[in-house]
Coordinates of all heavy atoms in Angstrom, one line a residue:
M1 N -11.0 6.9 19.2 CA -10.7 7.1 17.8 C -10.3 5.7 17.2 O -9.5 5.0 17.8 CB -9.6 8.1 17.7 CG -9.3 8.4 16.2 SD -8.2 9.8 16.2 CE -6.8 9.1 15.3
L2 N -10.8 5.4 16.1 CA -10.5 4.2 15.4 C -9.1 4.2 14.8 O -8.7 5.2 14.2 CB -11.5 3.8 14.3 CG -12.9 3.6 14.8 CD1 -13.9 3.4 13.7 CD2 -13.0 2.4 15.7
R3 N -8.4 3.2 14.9 CA -7.0 3.1 14.3 C -7.2 2.6 12.9 O -8.1 1.8 12.6 CB -6.1 2.2 15.1 CG -5.9 2.8 16.5 CD -4.8 2.0 17.2 NE -3.6 2.2 16.5 CZ -2.5 1.5 16.8 NH1 -2.5 0.6 17.7 NH2 -1.4 1.7 16.1
H4 N -6.3 2.9 12.0 CA -6.3 2.5 10.7 C -4.9 2.0 10.3 O -4.0 2.3 10.9 CB -6.8 3.6 9.7 CG -6.0 4.8 9.8 ND1 -4.9 5.0 9.0 CD2 -6.1 5.9 10.5 CE1 -4.4 6.1 9.2 NE2 -5.1 6.8 10.1
E5 N -4.9 1.3 9.2 CA -3.6 0.8 8.7 C -2.8 2.0 8.1 O -3.3 2.9 7.5 CB -3.8 -0.2 7.6 CG -4.3 -1.5 8.0 CD -4.3 -2.5 6.9 OE1 -3.3 -2.8 6.4 OE2 -5.4 -2.9 6.5
F6 N -1.5 1.9 8.3 CA -0.6 2.9 7.7 C -0.3 2.5 6.3 O 0.2 1.4 6.1 CB 0.7 3.0 8.6 CG 1.7 3.9 8.0 CD1 1.4 5.2 7.8 CD2 2.9 3.4 7.6 CE1 2.4 6.1 7.3 CE2 3.9 4.3 7.1 CZ 3.6 5.6 6.9
R7 N -0.6 3.3 5.4 CA -0.4 3.1 3.9 C 0.7 4.0 3.4 O 0.5 5.1 3.0 CB -1.6 3.3 3.1 CG -2.8 2.5 3.6 CD -2.8 1.1 3.0 NE -4.0 0.4 3.4 CZ -4.3 -0.7 2.8 NH1 -3.7 -1.1 1.8 NH2 -5.4 -1.3 3.2
P8 N 2.0 3.6 3.5 CA 3.1 4.5 3.0 C 3.1 4.8 1.5 O 3.5 5.8 1.1 CB 4.3 3.7 3.4 CG 3.9 2.3 3.6 CD 2.5 2.3 3.9
G9 N 2.5 3.9 0.7 CA 2.4 4.2 -0.7 C 1.5 5.4 -1.0 O 1.9 6.2 -1.8
K10 N 0.4 5.5 -0.3 CA -0.4 6.7 -0.4 C 0.3 8.0 0.1 O 0.1 9.0 -0.5 CB -1.7 6.5 0.3 CG -2.6 5.5 -0.3 CD -3.9 5.4 0.4 CE -4.8 4.3 -0.3 NZ -6.1 4.3 0.4
L11 N 1.1 7.8 1.1 CA 1.8 9.0 1.6 C 2.8 9.5 0.6 O 2.9 10.7 0.3 CB 2.5 8.6 2.9 CG 3.5 9.7 3.5 CD1 2.6 10.8 4.0 CD2 4.3 9.1 4.6
V12 N 3.6 8.5 -0.1 CA 4.6 8.9 -1.1 C 3.9 9.5 -2.3 O 4.3 10.6 -2.8 CB 5.4 7.7 -1.5 CG1 6.3 8.0 -2.7 CG2 6.2 7.2 -0.3
A13 N 2.8 9.0 -2.7 CA 2.0 9.5 -3.9 C 1.5 10.9 -3.5 O 1.6 11.8 -4.4 CB 0.9 8.6 -4.2
G14 N 1.0 11.1 -2.3 CA 0.5 12.4 -1.9 C 1.6 13.5 -1.9 O 1.4 14.6 -2.3
L15 N 2.8 13.1 -1.4 CA 3.9 14.0 -1.3 C 4.4 14.4 -2.7 O 4.6 15.6 -2.9 CB 5.1 13.4 -0.6 CG 4.9 13.2 0.9 CD1 6.1 12.5 1.5 CD2 4.8 14.6 1.6
F16 N 4.5 13.5 -3.6 CA 4.9 13.9 -5.0 C 3.9 14.7 -5.7 O 4.2 15.6 -6.5 CB 5.3 12.6 -5.8 CG 6.7 12.2 -5.6 CD1 7.0 11.3 -4.5 CD2 7.7 12.6 -6.4 CE1 8.3 10.9 -4.3 CE2 9.0 12.2 -6.2 CZ 9.3 11.3 -5.1
L17 N 2.6 14.4 -5.5 CA 1.6 15.2 -6.2 C 1.5 16.6 -5.5 O 1.2 17.6 -6.2 CB 0.2 14.5 -6.1 CG 0.1 13.3 -6.9 CD1 -1.2 12.6 -6.7 CD2 0.2 13.6 -8.4
T18 N 1.8 16.7 -4.3 CA 1.9 18.0 -3.6 C 3.0 18.8 -4.2 O 2.9 20.0 -4.4 CB 2.0 17.9 -2.1 OG1 0.9 17.1 -1.6 CG2 2.1 19.2 -1.4
V19 N 4.2 18.2 -4.4 CA 5.3 18.9 -5.0 C 5.0 19.3 -6.4 O 5.4 20.5 -6.8 CB 6.6 17.9 -5.0 CG1 7.7 18.5 -5.9 CG2 7.1 17.7 -3.6
A20 N 4.3 18.5 -7.2 CA 3.9 18.9 -8.5 C 2.9 20.2 -8.4 O 3.0 21.1 -9.2 CB 3.2 17.8 -9.2
G21 N 2.0 20.2 -7.5 CA 1.1 21.3 -7.3 C 1.8 22.6 -6.9 O 1.6 23.7 -7.4
I22 N 2.8 22.4 -6.0 CA 3.6 23.6 -5.6 C 4.4 24.1 -6.7 O 4.6 25.3 -6.9 CB 4.5 23.2 -4.4 CG1 3.6 23.0 -3.1 CG2 5.6 24.3 -4.1 CD1 4.4 22.4 -2.0
T23 N 4.9 23.2 -7.6 CA 5.7 23.6 -8.7 C 4.8 24.5 -9.7 O 5.3 25.5 -10.2 CB 6.2 22.4 -9.5 OG1 7.0 21.7 -8.6 CG2 7.1 22.8 -10.7
Y24 N 3.6 24.0 -10.0 CA 2.7 24.8 -10.8 C 2.3 26.1 -10.1 O 2.1 27.1 -10.8 CB 1.5 24.0 -11.2 CG 1.7 23.2 -12.5 CD1 1.3 21.9 -12.6 CD2 2.4 23.7 -13.6 CE1 1.5 21.1 -13.8 CE2 2.6 23.0 -14.8 CZ 2.1 21.7 -14.8 OH 2.3 21.0 -16.0
A25 N 2.0 26.0 -8.8 CA 1.6 27.2 -8.1 C 2.7 28.3 -8.1 O 2.4 29.5 -8.3 CB 1.2 26.9 -6.7
G26 N 3.9 27.9 -8.0 CA 5.0 28.8 -8.0 C 5.2 29.4 -9.4 O 5.5 30.6 -9.5
D27 N 5.0 28.6 -10.4 CA 5.0 29.1 -11.8 C 3.9 30.1 -12.1 O 4.1 31.2 -12.7 CB 5.0 28.0 -12.8 CG 5.2 28.5 -14.2 OD1 6.0 29.4 -14.4 OD2 4.5 27.9 -15.1
A28 N 2.7 29.8 -11.5 CA 1.5 30.7 -11.7 C 1.7 32.0 -11.0 O 1.2 33.0 -11.4 CB 0.3 30.0 -11.3
G29 N 2.4 32.0 -9.9 CA 2.6 33.2 -9.1 C 3.8 33.9 -9.4 O 4.2 34.8 -8.7
D30 N 4.4 33.6 -10.5 CA 5.7 34.2 -11.0 C 6.8 34.2 -10.1 O 7.7 35.0 -10.0 CB 5.4 35.7 -11.4 CG 4.5 35.8 -12.7 OD1 4.6 34.8 -13.5 OD2 3.8 36.8 -12.8
A31 N 6.8 33.1 -9.2 CA 8.0 33.0 -8.3 C 9.2 32.4 -9.1 O 10.3 32.7 -8.8 CB 7.6 32.1 -7.1
W32 N 8.9 31.5 -10.1 CA 9.9 30.9 -10.9 C 9.2 30.5 -12.2 O 8.0 30.6 -12.4 CB 10.6 29.7 -10.3 CG 9.7 28.7 -9.8 CD1 9.0 27.7 -10.5 CD2 9.2 28.4 -8.4 NE1 8.3 26.9 -9.7 CE2 8.4 27.3 -8.4 CE3 9.5 29.1 -7.2 CZ2 7.8 26.9 -7.3 CZ3 9.0 28.6 -6.1 CH2 8.1 27.5 -6.1
D33 N 10.0 30.1 -13.2 CA 9.5 29.8 -14.5 C 9.7 28.2 -14.6 O 10.8 27.7 -14.6 CB 10.3 30.5 -15.6 CG 9.7 30.3 -17.0 OD1 8.5 30.1 -17.0 OD2 10.4 30.3 -18.0
T34 N 8.6 27.5 -14.8 CA 8.6 26.1 -15.0 C 8.2 25.7 -16.4 O 7.1 26.1 -16.8 CB 7.7 25.4 -13.9 OG1 8.0 25.9 -12.6 CG2 7.8 23.9 -14.0
P35 N 8.9 24.9 -17.1 CA 8.5 24.4 -18.4 C 7.3 23.5 -18.2 O 7.1 22.9 -17.2 CB 9.6 23.6 -19.0 CG 10.8 23.9 -18.0 CD 10.3 24.5 -16.8
W36 N 6.4 23.4 -19.2 CA 5.2 22.7 -19.1 C 5.4 21.2 -18.8 O 4.6 20.5 -18.2 CB 4.3 22.9 -20.3 CG 4.9 22.3 -21.6 CD1 5.7 23.0 -22.4 CD2 4.7 21.0 -22.1 NE1 6.0 22.2 -23.5 CE2 5.5 20.9 -23.3 CE3 4.1 19.8 -21.6 CZ2 5.6 19.8 -24.0 CZ3 4.2 18.7 -22.4 CH2 4.9 18.7 -23.6
F37 N 6.5 20.7 -19.3 CA 6.8 19.2 -19.2 C 7.5 18.8 -18.0 O 7.8 17.7 -17.8 CB 7.6 18.8 -20.5 CG 8.9 19.5 -20.7 CD1 10.0 19.1 -20.0 CD2 8.9 20.6 -21.5 CE1 11.2 19.8 -20.2 CE2 10.1 21.3 -21.7 CZ 11.2 20.9 -21.1
A38 N 7.9 19.8 -17.1 CA 8.7 19.5 -16.0 C 8.0 18.7 -14.9 O 8.6 17.9 -14.2 CB 9.2 20.8 -15.4
V39 N 6.7 18.8 -14.9 CA 5.9 18.1 -13.8 C 5.7 16.6 -14.2 O 5.5 15.8 -13.3 CB 4.6 18.9 -13.6 CG1 3.7 18.2 -12.6 CG2 4.9 20.3 -13.0
I40 N 5.7 16.3 -15.4 CA 5.4 14.9 -15.8 C 6.4 13.9 -15.2 O 5.9 12.9 -14.6 CB 5.5 14.8 -17.4 CG1 4.3 15.6 -18.0 CG2 5.4 13.3 -17.8 CD1 4.3 15.7 -19.5
P41 N 7.7 14.1 -15.2 CA 8.6 13.2 -14.5 C 8.3 13.1 -13.0 O 8.5 12.1 -12.3 CB 10.0 13.7 -14.8 CG 9.9 14.6 -15.9 CD 8.5 15.1 -15.9
I42 N 8.0 14.3 -12.4 CA 7.7 14.3 -11.0 C 6.5 13.4 -10.6 O 6.5 12.5 -9.7 CB 7.4 15.7 -10.5 CG1 8.7 16.6 -10.6 CG2 7.0 15.7 -9.0 CD1 8.5 18.0 -10.3
V43 N 5.4 13.5 -11.4 CA 4.2 12.8 -11.1 C 4.4 11.3 -11.4 O 4.1 10.4 -10.6 CB 3.0 13.3 -11.9 CG1 1.8 12.4 -11.8 CG2 2.7 14.7 -11.4
V44 N 5.0 11.0 -12.6 CA 5.2 9.6 -13.0 C 6.2 8.9 -12.1 O 5.9 7.8 -11.6 CB 5.6 9.5 -14.5 CG1 6.0 8.1 -14.8 CG2 4.5 10.0 -15.4
G45 N 7.3 9.6 -11.8 CA 8.2 9.0 -10.9 C 7.7 8.8 -9.5 O 7.9 7.7 -8.8
G46 N 6.9 9.7 -9.0 CA 6.2 9.6 -7.7 C 5.2 8.4 -7.6 O 5.2 7.7 -6.6
L47 N 4.4 8.3 -8.7 CA 3.5 7.2 -8.7 C 4.2 5.8 -8.8 O 3.7 4.9 -8.2 CB 2.5 7.4 -9.9 CG 1.5 8.5 -9.7 CD1 0.7 8.7 -11.0 CD2 0.7 8.4 -8.5
C48 N 5.3 5.7 -9.6 CA 6.0 4.5 -9.6 C 6.6 4.2 -8.3 O 6.6 3.0 -7.8 CB 7.1 4.6 -10.7 SG 6.5 4.6 -12.4
L49 N 7.2 5.2 -7.6 CA 7.8 4.9 -6.3 C 6.7 4.6 -5.3 O 6.9 3.7 -4.4 CB 8.6 6.2 -5.9 CG 9.3 6.1 -4.6 CD1 10.4 5.0 -4.7 CD2 9.9 7.4 -4.2
A50 N 5.6 5.2 -5.4 CA 4.5 4.9 -4.5 C 4.0 3.4 -4.7 O 3.7 2.7 -3.7 CB 3.3 5.8 -4.7
G51 N 4.0 3.0 -5.9 CA 3.6 1.6 -6.2 C 4.6 0.6 -5.6 O 4.2 -0.4 -5.0
V52 N 5.9 0.9 -5.7 CA 6.9 0.0 -5.1 C 6.8 0.0 -3.6 O 6.9 -1.0 -3.0 CB 8.3 0.5 -5.6 CG1 9.4 -0.2 -4.9 CG2 8.5 0.2 -7.1
V53 N 6.6 1.2 -3.0 CA 6.5 1.3 -1.6 C 5.3 0.5 -1.1 O 5.3 -0.2 -0.1 CB 6.5 2.8 -1.1 CG1 6.2 2.9 0.3 CG2 7.9 3.4 -1.4
G54 N 4.2 0.7 -1.8 CA 3.0 0.0 -1.5 C 3.1 -1.5 -1.5 O 2.6 -2.2 -0.6
L55 N 3.7 -2.0 -2.6 CA 4.0 -3.5 -2.7 C 4.9 -4.0 -1.6 O 4.7 -5.0 -1.0 CB 4.6 -3.8 -4.0 CG 3.6 -3.7 -5.2 CD1 4.4 -3.9 -6.5 CD2 2.5 -4.7 -5.1
L56 N 5.9 -3.2 -1.3 CA 6.8 -3.6 -0.2 C 6.1 -3.6 1.2 O 6.3 -4.5 2.0 CB 8.0 -2.6 -0.2 CG 9.1 -2.9 0.9 CD1 9.7 -4.3 0.6 CD2 10.1 -1.8 0.9
A57 N 5.3 -2.6 1.4 CA 4.5 -2.6 2.7 C 3.6 -3.7 2.8 O 3.4 -4.3 3.8 CB 3.8 -1.2 2.8
R58 N 2.9 -4.1 1.7 CA 2.0 -5.2 1.7 C 2.7 -6.5 2.0 O 2.3 -7.4 2.7 CB 1.2 -5.3 0.4 CG 0.3 -6.5 0.3 CD -0.2 -6.8 -1.1 NE -1.5 -6.0 -1.2 CZ -2.2 -6.0 -2.3 NH1 -1.8 -6.7 -3.3 NH2 -3.3 -5.4 -2.3
A59 N 3.9 -6.7 1.3 CA 4.7 -7.9 1.6 C 5.1 -8.0 3.0 O 5.0 -9.1 3.6 CB 5.9 -7.9 0.7
V60 N 5.5 -6.9 3.6 CA 5.9 -6.9 5.0 C 4.7 -7.2 5.9 O 4.8 -8.0 6.8 CB 6.6 -5.6 5.4 CG1 6.8 -5.4 6.9 CG2 7.9 -5.4 4.7
R61 N 3.6 -6.6 5.6 CA 2.4 -6.8 6.4 C 1.9 -8.2 6.3 O 1.5 -8.9 7.3 CB 1.3 -5.8 6.0 CG 0.1 -5.8 6.9 CD -1.0 -4.8 6.4 NE -0.4 -3.5 6.1 CZ -0.4 -2.9 5.0 NH1 -1.0 -3.5 3.9 NH2 0.1 -1.7 4.8
N62 N 1.9 -8.8 5.1 CA 1.5 -10.2 5.0 C 2.4 -11.2 5.7 O 2.0 -12.2 6.2 CB 1.3 -10.6 3.5 CG 0.1 -10.0 2.9 OD1 -0.8 -9.5 3.6 ND2 0.1 -9.9 1.5
H63 N 3.7 -10.9 5.6 CA 4.7 -11.7 6.2 C 4.5 -11.7 7.8 O 4.6 -12.7 8.4 CB 6.1 -11.3 5.9 CG 7.2 -12.1 6.5 ND1 7.4 -13.4 6.2 CD2 8.1 -11.8 7.5 CE1 8.4 -13.9 7.0 NE2 8.8 -12.9 7.7
R64 N 4.3 -10.5 8.3 CA 4.1 -10.3 9.7 C 2.8 -11.0 10.2 O 2.8 -11.7 11.2 CB 4.1 -8.9 10.1 CG 4.0 -8.6 11.5 CD 3.9 -7.1 11.9 NE 2.7 -6.5 11.2 CZ 2.7 -5.3 10.7 NH1 3.7 -4.6 10.7 NH2 1.6 -4.9 10.1
D65 N 1.7 -10.9 9.4 CA 0.5 -11.5 9.7 C 0.5 -13.0 9.6 O -0.1 -13.7 10.4 CB -0.7 -11.0 8.8 CG -1.0 -9.6 9.2 OD1 -0.6 -9.1 10.2 OD2 -1.7 -8.9 8.3
S66 N 1.3 -13.6 8.7 CA 1.4 -15.0 8.5 C 2.2 -15.6 9.7 O 1.9 -16.7 10.2 CB 2.0 -15.4 7.2 OG 3.4 -15.0 7.2
R67 N 3.2 -14.9 10.2 CA 3.9 -15.4 11.4 C 3.0 -15.3 12.6 O 3.1 -16.2 13.5 CB 5.1 -14.5 11.6 CG 6.3 -14.8 10.7 CD 7.5 -14.1 11.2 NE 7.2 -12.9 12.0 CZ 8.1 -12.0 12.3 NH1 9.3 -12.1 12.0 NH2 7.7 -10.9 13.0
R68 N 2.2 -14.3 12.7 CA 1.3 -14.2 13.9 C 0.2 -15.2 13.9 O -0.1 -15.7 15.0 CB 0.7 -12.8 13.8 CG 0.0 -12.4 15.1 CD -0.6 -11.0 15.0 NE 0.5 -10.1 14.9 CZ 0.4 -8.8 14.6 NH1 -0.8 -8.3 14.3 NH2 1.4 -8.0 14.5
T69 N -0.3 -15.7 12.8 CA -1.4 -16.6 12.8 C -1.0 -18.1 12.8 O -1.8 -18.9 12.8 CB -2.4 -16.3 11.6 OG1 -1.6 -16.5 10.4 CG2 -3.0 -14.9 11.8
S70 N 0.3 -18.4 12.6 CA 0.7 -19.8 12.5 C 1.2 -20.4 13.8 O 2.1 -21.2 13.8 CB 1.8 -19.9 11.4 OG 2.9 -19.2 11.8
T71 N 0.6 -20.0 14.9 CA 1.0 -20.5 16.2 C 0.3 -21.9 16.3 O -0.8 -22.1 15.9 CB 0.6 -19.6 17.3 OG1 -0.8 -19.5 17.3 CG2 1.3 -18.3 17.2
P72 N 1.0 -22.9 17.0 CA 0.4 -24.2 17.2 C -0.9 -24.2 18.1 O -1.7 -25.0 17.9 CB 1.5 -25.0 17.9 CG 2.7 -24.1 17.9 CD 2.3 -22.8 17.5
A73 N -1.0 -23.2 19.0 CA -2.2 -23.2 19.8 C -3.4 -22.9 19.0 O -4.5 -23.5 19.3 CB -2.0 -22.1 20.9
E74 N -3.3 -22.1 18.0 CA -4.5 -21.8 17.2 C -4.8 -23.0 16.2 O -6.0 -23.2 15.9 CB -4.3 -20.5 16.3 CG -4.3 -19.3 17.2 CD -4.2 -18.0 16.3 OE1 -4.2 -18.2 15.1 OE2 -4.0 -17.0 16.9
A75 N -3.8 -23.7 15.8 CA -4.0 -24.8 15.0 C -4.8 -25.9 15.7 O -5.6 -26.7 15.1 CB -2.7 -25.4 14.5
D76 N -4.6 -26.1 17.0 CA -5.3 -27.1 17.8 C -6.8 -26.7 18.1 O -7.6 -27.6 18.3 CB -4.6 -27.2 19.2 CG -3.2 -27.8 19.0 OD1 -3.0 -28.5 18.0 OD2 -2.4 -27.6 20.0
R77 N -7.1 -25.4 18.0 CA -8.5 -25.0 18.2 C -9.4 -25.1 17.0 O -10.6 -24.9 17.2 CB -8.5 -23.5 18.7 CG -8.0 -23.4 20.1 CD -8.3 -22.0 20.6 NE -7.0 -21.3 20.6 CZ -6.8 -20.0 20.4 NH1 -7.8 -19.2 20.3 NH2 -5.6 -19.5 20.5
T78 N -8.9 -25.5 15.9 CA -9.8 -25.6 14.7 C -10.6 -26.8 14.8 O -10.2 -27.9 15.2 CB -9.0 -25.7 13.4 OG1 -8.1 -26.8 13.5 CG2 -8.2 -24.4 13.2
P79 N -11.9 -26.7 14.5 CA -12.8 -27.9 14.7 C -12.5 -28.9 13.6 O -12.2 -28.5 12.5 CB -14.2 -27.3 14.5 CG -14.0 -26.0 13.8 CD -12.6 -25.5 14.1
P80 N -12.7 -30.2 13.9 CA -12.5 -31.2 12.9 C -13.5 -31.1 11.8 O -14.7 -30.8 12.0 CB -12.5 -32.5 13.6 CG -13.3 -32.2 14.9 CD -13.1 -30.7 15.2
Q81 N -13.1 -31.4 10.6 CA -14.1 -31.4 9.5 C -14.9 -32.7 9.5 O -14.4 -33.8 9.8 CB -13.3 -31.4 8.1 CG -12.5 -30.1 8.0 CD -13.4 -28.9 7.9 OE1 -14.5 -29.0 7.3 NE2 -12.9 -27.7 8.4
P82 N -16.2 -32.6 9.2 CA -17.1 -33.8 9.2 C -16.7 -34.6 8.0 O -16.3 -34.1 7.0 CB -18.5 -33.2 9.1 CG -18.3 -31.9 8.5 CD -17.0 -31.4 9.0
P83 N -16.9 -35.9 8.1 CA -16.6 -36.8 7.0 C -17.5 -36.5 5.8 O -18.7 -36.3 5.9 CB -16.7 -38.2 7.5 CG -17.6 -38.1 8.7 CD -17.4 -36.7 9.2
Q84 N -17.0 -36.6 4.6 CA -17.7 -36.4 3.4 C -18.5 -37.7 3.0 O -18.0 -38.8 3.1 CB -16.8 -36.0 2.2 CG -16.1 -34.7 2.4 CD -17.0 -33.5 2.5 OE1 -18.0 -33.5 1.8 NE2 -16.6 -32.6 3.3
P85 N -19.8 -37.5 2.7 CA -20.6 -38.7 2.3 C -20.1 -39.3 1.0 O -19.7 -38.6 0.1 CB -22.0 -38.2 2.2 CG -21.9 -36.8 2.0 CD -20.6 -36.3 2.7
T86 N -20.2 -40.6 0.9 CA -19.8 -41.2 -0.4 C -21.0 -41.3 -1.3 O -22.1 -41.6 -0.9 CB -19.2 -42.6 -0.2 OG1 -20.2 -43.4 0.5 CG2 -17.9 -42.5 0.7
V87 N -20.8 -41.1 -2.6 CA -21.9 -41.1 -3.5 C -21.8 -42.5 -4.3 O -20.7 -42.7 -4.9 CB -21.8 -39.9 -4.5 CG1 -22.9 -40.0 -5.5 CG2 -21.8 -38.6 -3.7
P88 N -22.8 -43.3 -4.3 CA -22.8 -44.6 -5.1 C -22.8 -44.3 -6.6 O -23.5 -43.3 -7.0 CB -24.0 -45.3 -4.6 CG -24.9 -44.3 -4.0 CD -24.1 -43.2 -3.6
N89 N -22.1 -45.1 -7.3 CA -22.1 -44.9 -8.8 C -23.2 -45.6 -9.4 O -23.7 -46.6 -9.4 CB -20.8 -45.4 -9.4 CG -19.7 -44.4 -9.0 OD1 -19.9 -43.3 -8.7 ND2 -18.4 -44.9 -8.9

């Protein structure tokens, strides 16, 4: 099985949208009474929180990857660049 990156922002967005769906389903099934505007803060707040979590996860991932690739052994293995030809004026 192929491994994939963990995306916590998508997880948070999915959880909040699931809560919004459960809220509407409970209202439709007469389990409780939900005002029409009650789901808007749930969805907007969840999407904002998912964006923050996604940005934080990207920053952590980039920081971890930059530490991993900046080893001196890899820097020695890069081939030298060929000299650039000079153009007469």
Side-chain angles (χ1 to χ4, degrees):
M1 184 168 122
L2 296 175
R3 296 187 66 188
H4 59 86
E5 287 186 64
F6 176 60
R7 304 276 184 162
K10 290 183 180 185
L11 176 67
V12 170
L15 287 174
F16 274 88
L17 291 174
T18 301
V19 167
I22 290 171
T23 302
Y24 271 136
D27 186 35
D30 289 331
W32 54 78
D33 188 31
T34 305
W36 65 269
F37 56 84
V39 175
I40 295 172
I42 295 172
V43 171
V44 172
L47 291 176
C48 289
L49 184 62
V52 169
V53 169
L55 287 174
L56 182 64
R58 176 189 270 180
V60 168
R61 190 178 308 119
N62 287 343
H63 179 69
R64 185 181 60 217
D65 290 343
S66 68
R67 281 191 334 191
R68 188 178 297 166
T69 59
S70 64
T71 60
E74 288 184 7
D76 293 338
R77 284 190 256 153
T78 57
Q81 296 293 329
Q84 297 293 328
T86 57
V87 178
N89 288 335

